[in-house]
């Protein structure tokens, strides 16, 4: 699962990268703090997932979200931001975000979502054995 991180904070980018390296089948293909180079990267090599902040250096994550939705609709954009008020959540989801997470309270939920997406990608690609697939299915059905 190719993942791109777009956040203006080097600390947050590092934290997300550390989470992603612990998830089997996930590869970080780029990290950016501003929209223009992130968009260029997405256009040249579309990832499976974009982890996106709303506030970026020299621009807005909404700009990235809109372009990704128009040009690469299969890319899942997961917004991870401090701007978690309902107006931002609504705007992002209406613009096509796959999911919206509050940096202050949703890190564990984001981590679980990423694990689930990576597991699903491995099942779809046939990169898991039958026992792993059964275990993953049982875990999903527990909640």
């Amino acid at each position: 699962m190719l993942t791109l991180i777009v956040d203006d904070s080097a600390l947050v980018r590092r934290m997300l990268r550390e989470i992603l390296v612990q998830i089997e089948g996930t590869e970080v293909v780029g990290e950016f703090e501003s929209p223009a180079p992130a968009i260029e990267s997405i256009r040249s090599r579309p990832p499976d997932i974009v982890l996106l902040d709303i506030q970026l250096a020299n621009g807005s994550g909404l700009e990235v979200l809109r372009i990704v939705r128009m040009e690469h609709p299969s890319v899942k954009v997961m917004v991870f931001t401090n701007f978690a008020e309902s107006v931002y959540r609504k705007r992002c989801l209406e613009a096509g975000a796959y999911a919206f997470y509050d940096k202050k309270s949703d890190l564990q939920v984001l981590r679980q979502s990423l694990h689930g997406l990576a597991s699903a990608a491995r099942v779809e690609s046939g990169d898991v054995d039958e026992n792993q697939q059964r275990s993953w299915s049982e875990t999903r059905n527990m909640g």
Side-chain angles (χ1 to χ4, degrees):
M1 184 171 77
L2 304 178
T3 306
L4 189 80
I5 301 170
V6 187
D7 196 294
D8 62 329
S9 167
L11 181 66
V12 171
R13 289 192 310 270
R14 184 181 62 182
M15 176 192 63
L16 291 171
R17 183 176 59 251
E18 288 172 1
I19 289 170
L20 289 164
V21 299
Q22 296 174 20
I23 300 173
E24 183 181 347
T26 301
E27 177 186 350
V28 176
V29 293
E31 297 178 27
F32 301 95
E33 65 179 354
S34 61
I39 291 166
E40 184 178 322
S41 175
I42 293 164
R43 284 177 171 154
S44 67
R45 184 180 182 201
D48 301 304
I49 304 284
V50 175
L51 295 176
L52 180 66
D53 191 5
I54 291 175
Q55 183 175 347
L56 301 173
N58 304 313
S60 167
L62 287 171
E63 175 186 354
V64 177
L65 175 58
R66 287 185 188 111
I67 288 172
V68 170
R69 291 280 44 97
M70 283 189 327
E71 297 180 12
H72 301 284
S74 66
V75 173
K76 291 176 176 62
V77 179
M78 303 172 83
V79 176
F80 184 57
T81 186
N82 282 319
F83 295 92
E85 293 81 12
S86 61
V87 65
Y88 294 109
R89 179 180 302 270
K90 182 179 180 192
R91 189 178 300 165
C92 289
L93 294 173
E94 286 175 351
Y98 177 78
F100 187 99
Y101 303 94
D102 183 346
K103 284 184 182 176
K104 297 177 212 102
S105 61
D106 292 338
L107 181 60
Q108 186 60 31
V109 177
L110 172 63
R111 183 188 320 251
Q112 290 171 344
S113 296
L114 291 167
H115 271 283
L117 287 169
S119 294
R122 289 194 313 274
V123 168
E124 287 175 14
S125 71
D127 194 25
V128 294
D129 66 29
E130 188 176 314
N131 290 333
Q132 287 175 312
Q133 187 171 355
R134 188 177 319 111
S135 173
W136 177 75
S137 294
E138 289 169 358
T139 302
R140 275 191 49 202
N141 293 329
M142 293 175 90

